[in-house]
Amino acid sequence: MTAALLTDKYELTMLAAALRDGTAHRRTTFEVFARRLPEGRRYGVVAGTARFLELLSQFTFDAAALESVSGFLDDDTLSYLSSYRFGGDVEGYAEGELYFPGSPVLSVHGTFAECVILETLALSVFNHDSAIASAAARMVSAAEGRPLIEMGSRRTHEQAAVAAARAAYLAGFSGTSNLEAQRRYGVPALGTSAHAFTLLHTTADGPDEAAAFRAQVEALGVGTTLLVDTYDITAGVATAVEVAGPALGAVRIDSGELGVLVRQVREQLDGLGATGTQIVVSSDLDEFAIAALRAEPVDSYGVGTSVVTGSGAPTAGMVYKLVEVDGLPVAKRSSHKESHGGHKKGLRLAKPSGTIVEEVVHPAGRPPTDSAGLESSPLSVDLVRAGEPVGDPGLDAARRLVAAGLGSLPWDGLKLSRGEPAIPTRMA
Amino acid sequence: MTAALLTDKYELTMLAAALRDGTAHRRTTFEVFARRLPEGRRYGVVAGTARFLELLSQFTFDAAALESVSGFLDDDTLSYLSSYRFGGDVEGYAEGELYFPGSPVLSVHGTFAECVILETLALSVFNHDSAIASAAARMVSAAEGRPLIEMGSRRTHEQAAVAAARAAYLAGFSGTSNLEAQRRYGVPALGTSAHAFTLLHTTADGPDEAAAFRAQVEALGVGTTLLVDTYDITAGVATAVEVAGPALGAVRIDSGELGVLVRQVREQLDGLGATGTQIVVSSDLDEFAIAALRAEPVDSYGVGTSVVTGSGAPTAGMVYKLVEVDGLPVAKRSSHKESHGGHKKGLRLAKPSGTIVEEVVHPAGRPPTDSAGLESSPLSVDLVRAGEPVGDPGLDAARRLVAAGLGSLPWDGLKLSRGEPAIPTRMA
C-alpha cells in the first residue's frame, strides 16, 4: 500500500508549478512545530516519529496512484512522481521527548519538490499521535503509579485506534484493549468482559449472573476480571467471590459514583476473604477523574474516550513550515501567526537537580553559550540521512524518555489545572 | 488486509467462554445507539454505514491474525475464528439519516458468537464518521449555500483523514483537499497553494511574490486561486491581479480578522476590474465563524481542524448493546445509564408541511398506531441479509438524505447555539 495519496492536492499542484519554473530544485528546510500548546496545557509529548518514518518508506507513487492524479498534473510532474523517493535528511526531537511552543520538533531537508509533498503525512501523524500521548501522559501522572489500560478503540476511527493505543502506551499506559496494536507494535493487550456476556446468560427464568461468571472463570481461570455491575453491584461482588473463590483476580466497576463504590466493594471483598482481589474501574475517566480517585482503593484504571480524543485537545496543532531556501531564512509576515525563519535546533536547560528551566531554540550550528551554570541538553537527533532511516530506538526507549521528561518538569508543570507552559521557550 | 484485529481483546475472550458453555450459539440482537447527543447538539447525522459494510466483508481471520491471538485462545475458539464470516442480518438507519438520543441506528442479528466480535469495528466506524458528519452538517447549514472545502487532513490521523473527508462530503461539503478520498470514494479534490510556495520564491534580493504567482498561473491557468496573505494582503491582491489579470479565479485569505479583510479585498478586486474573482477564506473556521461571515462577500470557506475533530465532539458516543437473547429482551440495570431491551425500530412523525415532530422508537414489528394525523416514516432499512450486503445506495443518495433531513428540522433545530435535541424521542 502506498502512503503517497495521504496528501493534500495543493502539494502536488505546487510541485507542478515549481517544476515548471525551476524552483522545485532549490534546497529547503521545512520545520514541524506547534505555535502554542492546547489551551492550558503545560507540556506536550512528541509521538509518531517511528510511524512517520515507516510511512515515509512507503511514500512512492505506483501506477494506480499516478493514474489517480493524472487528471490534474502535467507529464513532467507525473514523471517526477513516478521515481519519487525521499532522499533528504530529517532530524528532530526523539519520540517521547517533551516539547513546548516553538520547539523544532522535526526538520526536513531536501529539495522543495521532495519536501513539500510530505506536509500532510507528517502533520497527520505527529498531530494525532502527539495529541494522544500528551493527554495520556497527564493521566499517567494523575494515576501516580497505578496501571492504566487504554480501551478507547470504539471511540475513534478504526485505524486511529491502533495508533492511539501505541501513543498511550508510549506515554506510560500499561496496555490496550486493541488487538491490532498488539500485533503491529507489541503493545500488551488486556481485557476482561462486557455486560453483554452477563446479559447473554439470561433465560426464560430470568438473568443468571452466576452462570456468566462460572463460564468466564472456567474459560479464563480465577485470575480473570469479573464485571460486577450489570444488575446490582453488591450482589455481583458476592456472586463473583462465590463462583471464583477468594483467589479471584479482579472485579471491574463500570458505572456509578466510583469513589463511594470502590470503598464499599473493597470492604466487601476483604470481608469475604478476597483481600488479594483487585478493583478495576472504568466509565468515562479522564485525568481529573483519575486524580479524584487517588485516595480510593483503586488498583487500575480503564480509560477510553478521553485518551483517544486527546482529552479535549484531539489534535496537537503542529504546522509544517518552510523556514529556509537555499540557505536564506524565510518566514510569513502578514499576520500575528508567529514564525521564525531559518533552520533551528532546540536545547533544554536544567538545574543540577535535573529540573528543567528553559527551552532554547537557536539557529542550527549556533547554540547559545550563556547557559549560566545550567546543564544544557541538545534535543535534536538524526532520524533520516540521505533518505535512509537512521534506526528506530523503539517504543521502550520512548517510554523511558516520557517518564524521564515528566520527572524533569518543575512542580507546577505536573498540575492538571490550566496554566502556562511548564517552562518558557526562548528564541536565541 | 483483514479488519478482524480492529477488535478489543475482551470480545474474543467472551467468545471463548461462550463457546465453552454453549451460550455462543444463542440468537442475539445487538443495537447501536447514542444515549445522548454531544452536549448542546440538536441532531446527529448517521455516517459510516458503507464503510462498515465494506470492512465487515474483510472481517475474517487469516493465518497471521490467528497466530497473533493464539497465545490467549483455546483451540475451539481458534477453529471457530478460522472459518468466521458474518452470516447474520443487519438493518439500520440509512447513511445520511438524522438520529436522536435512543435512535436504533443499527441492529445486528445473529448468534452471540458472530455478533459480539463486531462491537469495536462497528463503533469505531460509526462513532468517528457520525461525529464528523454531524459537525459538518452544522457548518453546511451555517454557510447557507456557499461551498465548503474540507482541508483538515493534517489535523487528524492519516487514515481518519480519508474517512473524515468522506463524512464531510456526505454532510454537504463540496470537496476535500485529500487525494486518497478522491481515489477511494470519488470525493472531488480541490486545492490552491500554501505560503511555502510564495516563500520558495525568495532570493538573495528578497521575497518575490509576483514570481510565485506567475509560476502558479503558468502551471494552473488564470482560473487558479492565489494565496495573497504571505506578506501584505493589499499588495498581494494588487500583485495577483497584475500577474493573472482580472479573470483571476480566486484569492485566498488565511489569516487576520476575516470579516474586515474580506470587505476590503472585495472592494479592491472590484476596483481593479476583477469583479468575477472569488474570495476563499480559511484560518481556524468553525460553524460559528462561518455564520459570523454570512454578511460578508465570502465565496467559499476552507475548513480544517474543526470539521475533522467534530468541532468539540470528536466522537458520537454511540454504544453497541445486547438487547435480545433467544427472543427475550435484556438490559443492564445497575446504573442510571438508560437501556431498553428488545429489538427496536425507529420511525419519525412529521407535519403535512414536512417538519418533523417526534422520533418514536418501538418494538420491532409493533409500530404505534396513534400518529394523530401526522405523517409516519419508518427509518430502518435492510443492510445485510444472511451475511450478504443488500446494496449500497451510494454517497450521492446519502448527501440528498442529509439535505432532506436538515430541511425537515423544526426552525430551532438548525440553531448553532447549545440546546435540546430538535425533536423528542419517545420509547413506545
Side-chain angles (χ1 to χ4, degrees), chain B residues 336-359:
Chain B
H336 302 299
K337 291 182 180 172
E338 210 176 335
S339 289
H340 296 269
H343 172 207
K344 297 178 286 298
K345 295 206 175 194
L347 58 82
R348 202 164 286 157
L349 299 178
K351 295 184 201 170
S353 64
T355 301
I356 58 176
V357 172
E358 193 178 45
E359 182 99 343

Side-chain angles (χ1 to χ4, degrees), chain A residues 1 4-14 16-18 20-21 23-24 26 28 30 36 51 55 64-65 68-69 72 112 116 119-121 123-125 127-129 151 153-163 177-184 189-197 199-204 207 211 215-216 218-220 229-233 252 254-256 283-284 305 309 314-315 317-319 321-322 325 328-335 337, chain B residues 1 4-14 16-18 20-21 23-24 26 28 30 36 51 55 64-65 68-69 72 112 116 119-121 123-125 127-129 151 153-163 176-184 189-197 199-204 207 211 215-216 218-220 229-233 252 254-256 283-284 305 309 314-315 317-319 321-322 325 328-335 337:
Chain A
M1 196 183 71
L5 295 178
L6 301 171
T7 295
D8 286 338
K9 183 177 182 178
Y10 80 167
E11 288 153 38
L12 301 192
T13 53
M14 284 191 278
R20 200 179 166 103
D21 83 346
T23 52
R26 291 189 179 170
T28 59
F30 283 80
R36 65 196 80 82
R51 287 215 311 117
L55 287 162
S68 79
V69 297
F72 65 93
F112 178 77
V116 71
E119 176 178 29
T120 304
L121 185 69
L123 289 178
S124 289
V125 172
N127 276 328
H128 176 268
D129 293 12
M151 41 173 73
S153 293
R154 63 194 54 198
R155 300 285 186 243
T156 187
H157 181 277
E158 69 277 8
Q159 291 294 340
V162 184
S177 61
N178 189 287
L179 288 169
E180 178 66 8
Q182 177 170 58
R183 191 195 64 79
R184 207 181 292 174
L190 304 164
T192 61
S193 181
H195 298 111
F197 187 73
L199 293 172
L200 170 68
H201 289 80
T202 304
T203 65
Q216 187 178 331
E218 271 166 29
L220 306 173
D229 70 345
T230 303
Y231 303 113
D232 174 90
I233 292 181
R252 176 159 79 102
D254 184 46
S255 54
S283 179
D284 288 334
T305 306
T309 60
T315 182
M318 292 181 191
V319 294
K321 292 295 171 191
L322 178 63
V325 178
L328 298 167
V330 296
K332 180 170 181 295
R333 255 188 272 156
S334 74
S335 80
K337 291 181 178 172
Chain B
M1 197 181 70
L5 294 178
L6 301 171
T7 295
D8 285 339
K9 183 176 182 179
Y10 81 167
E11 288 152 38
L12 301 192
T13 53
M14 283 191 278
R20 199 178 167 107
D21 82 348
T23 52
R26 292 189 177 169
T28 60
F30 281 80
R36 64 196 80 84
R51 289 215 309 117
L55 287 162
S68 79
V69 296
F72 64 91
F112 178 78
V116 71
E119 177 177 30
T120 304
L121 185 68
L123 290 178
S124 289
V125 172
N127 275 328
H128 176 267
D129 292 14
M151 41 173 73
S153 294
R154 63 193 54 196
R155 300 285 184 243
T156 186
H157 182 277
E158 68 278 7
Q159 291 293 341
V162 184
T176 178
S177 60
N178 189 288
L179 289 169
E180 178 66 8
Q182 176 169 60
R183 191 195 66 78
R184 208 181 291 174
L190 303 163
T192 62
S193 181
H195 298 112
F197 187 72
L199 294 172
L200 171 68
H201 288 79
T202 304
T203 64
Q216 188 178 332
E218 271 165 30
L220 306 173
D229 70 343
T230 304
Y231 303 114
D232 174 272
I233 292 181
R252 177 160 77 103
D254 185 46
S255 51
S283 181
D284 287 335
T305 306
T309 59
T315 183
M318 292 181 192
V319 294
K321 292 295 171 191
L322 178 63
V325 178
L328 298 167
V330 296
K332 180 171 183 291
R333 256 188 272 156
S334 75
S335 79
K337 291 182 180 172

